[in-house]
């Protein structure tokens, strides 16, 4: 029996320029594959996230199974790869609907296609410029992650891992076992020179570093995420 080809796309999220932003591989499967095969292909692509879409038939709203893999491990949730998958489905007319549902390890995620003319306040977000012709993608993700206690060893490591950046607060999320570190400003967030060897010693998956953005930026906050333990030094989710 001839082997079936896997259709895939390479997508750069959060950018309008090729080879910038955060890359993701989006693979379309006709049937489920075993996790070893999925992981091997993700390692072959060797980008921060490879996601796999498998159609689920017989539903009124288009549904797909969605799984995410870094080069070394499967993860429960990934924002930029979900955005990339949604972009391909909408822009390639692979779905005839403005709503898609993804069945994932984090539950059912809903994605909406919104024409740019319907987006309120976009000129302000784009520094006064008119929104480009096309569409926007709205992701409905879990918003609440219970906070749990910090590990003493993590507290002692984080200062070294963030190269002495000024920390206001630090929490640990129960769901993904990530550290959330609040710095004194968004400017400091951009300037952080993370020590990846030290970050890899932390107990959880990774570290999200955030701070209030400058008023003139048009954003509420800046955020960076580091997860060298999962094969991703930095990911722009």
């Amino acid at each position: 029996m001839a082997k079936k080809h896997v259709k895939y796309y390479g997508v750069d999220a959060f950018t309008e320029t090729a080879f910038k932003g955060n890359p993701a591989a989006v693979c379309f499967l006709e049937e489920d594959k075993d996790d070893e095969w999925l992981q091997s292909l993700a390692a072959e692509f060797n980008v921060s996230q490879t996601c796999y879409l498998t159609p689920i038939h017989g539903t009124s709203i288009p549904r797909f199974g969605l799984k995410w893999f870094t080069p070394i491990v499967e993860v429960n949730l990934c924002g930029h790869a979900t955005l990339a998958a949604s972009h391909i489905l909408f822009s390639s007319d692979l779905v005839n609907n403005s709503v898609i549902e993804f069945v994932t390890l984090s539950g059912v995620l809903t994605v909406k296609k919104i024409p740019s003319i319907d987006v309120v306040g976009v000129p302000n977000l784009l520094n006064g410029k008119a929104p480009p012709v096309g569409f926007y993608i709205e992701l409905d993700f879990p918003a609440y992650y219970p906070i749990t206690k910090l590990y003493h060893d993590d507290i002692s490591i984080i200062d070294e891992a963030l190269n002495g950046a000024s920390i206001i607060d630090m929490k640990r999320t129960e769901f993904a076992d990530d550290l959330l570190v609040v710095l004194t400003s968004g400017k400091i967030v951009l300037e952080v020179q993370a020590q990846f060897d030290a970050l890899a010693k932390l107990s959880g998956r990774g570290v999200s570093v955030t701070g209030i953005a400058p008023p003139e930026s048009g954003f509420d906050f800046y955020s960076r995420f580091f997860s060298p333990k999962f094969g991703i030094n930095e990911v722009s989710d």
Side-chain angles (χ1 to χ4, degrees):
M1 180 182 296
K3 294 183 178 179
K4 295 181 180 180
H5 294 288
V6 174
K7 181 183 290 187
Y8 71 90
Y9 296 81
V11 182
D12 293 322
F14 309 132
T15 182
E16 296 178 353
T17 306
F19 311 119
K20 299 292 184 179
N22 200 3
V26 181
C27 301
F28 290 85
L29 304 178
E30 295 182 12
E31 57 187 15
D32 291 331
K33 298 279 190 179
D34 65 75
D35 287 350
E36 182 178 358
W37 186 92
L38 299 176
Q39 187 63 74
S40 296
L41 184 56
E44 182 78 10
F45 281 122
N46 197 33
V47 293
S48 60
Q49 294 285 344
T50 297
C51 68
Y52 300 96
L53 291 169
T54 308
I56 298 173
H57 302 288
T59 59
S60 56
I61 296 176
R63 268 198 169 196
F64 296 84
L66 176 60
K67 305 186 78 171
W68 308 274
F69 286 78
T70 78
I72 62 174
V73 69
E74 183 178 8
V75 298
N76 292 331
L77 186 65
C78 177
H80 86 274
T82 306
L83 179 63
S86 304
H87 170 74
I88 293 299
L89 289 170
F90 287 135
S91 62
S92 302
D93 295 322
L94 294 174
V95 294
N96 187 25
N97 200 301
S98 61
V99 178
I100 304 170
E101 292 180 337
F102 294 123
V103 179
T104 78
L105 291 177
S106 294
V108 177
L109 308 179
T110 303
V111 177
K112 295 180 181 179
K113 177 182 180 182
I114 303 175
S116 59
I117 58 174
D118 294 338
V119 178
V120 177
V122 168
N124 292 331
L125 293 177
L126 298 179
N127 298 319
K129 297 179 181 179
V133 176
F135 62 89
Y136 290 84
I137 296 172
E138 179 182 286
L139 306 179
D140 184 8
F141 275 19
Y144 176 65
Y145 286 83
I147 300 299
T148 187
K149 66 178 182 179
L150 291 169
Y151 295 125
H152 177 74
D153 289 346
D154 287 344
I155 297 173
S156 62
I157 291 172
I158 198 66
D159 184 63
E160 174 193 355
L162 297 183
N163 209 25
S166 299
I167 297 173
I168 295 177
D169 196 9
M170 184 164 59
K171 305 291 185 182
R172 188 166 69 89
T173 66
E174 188 175 285
F175 175 76
D177 200 18
D178 292 329
L179 287 180
L180 174 63
V181 180
V182 182
L183 302 184
T184 52
S185 71
K187 181 177 181 292
I188 300 298
V189 172
L190 297 181
E191 294 173 349
V192 163
Q193 296 181 4
Q195 306 302 305
F196 301 124
D197 289 344
L199 287 170
K201 298 175 184 176
L202 294 169
S203 60
R205 181 183 67 165
V207 177
S208 180
V209 180
T210 188
I212 297 175
E216 66 275 11
S217 70
F219 298 97
D220 294 324
F221 61 90
Y222 291 156
S223 183
R224 297 170 67 187
F225 184 73
F226 308 102
S227 185
K229 185 180 290 187
F230 278 22
I232 310 169
N233 283 342
E234 180 172 359
V235 59
S236 302
D237 268 7

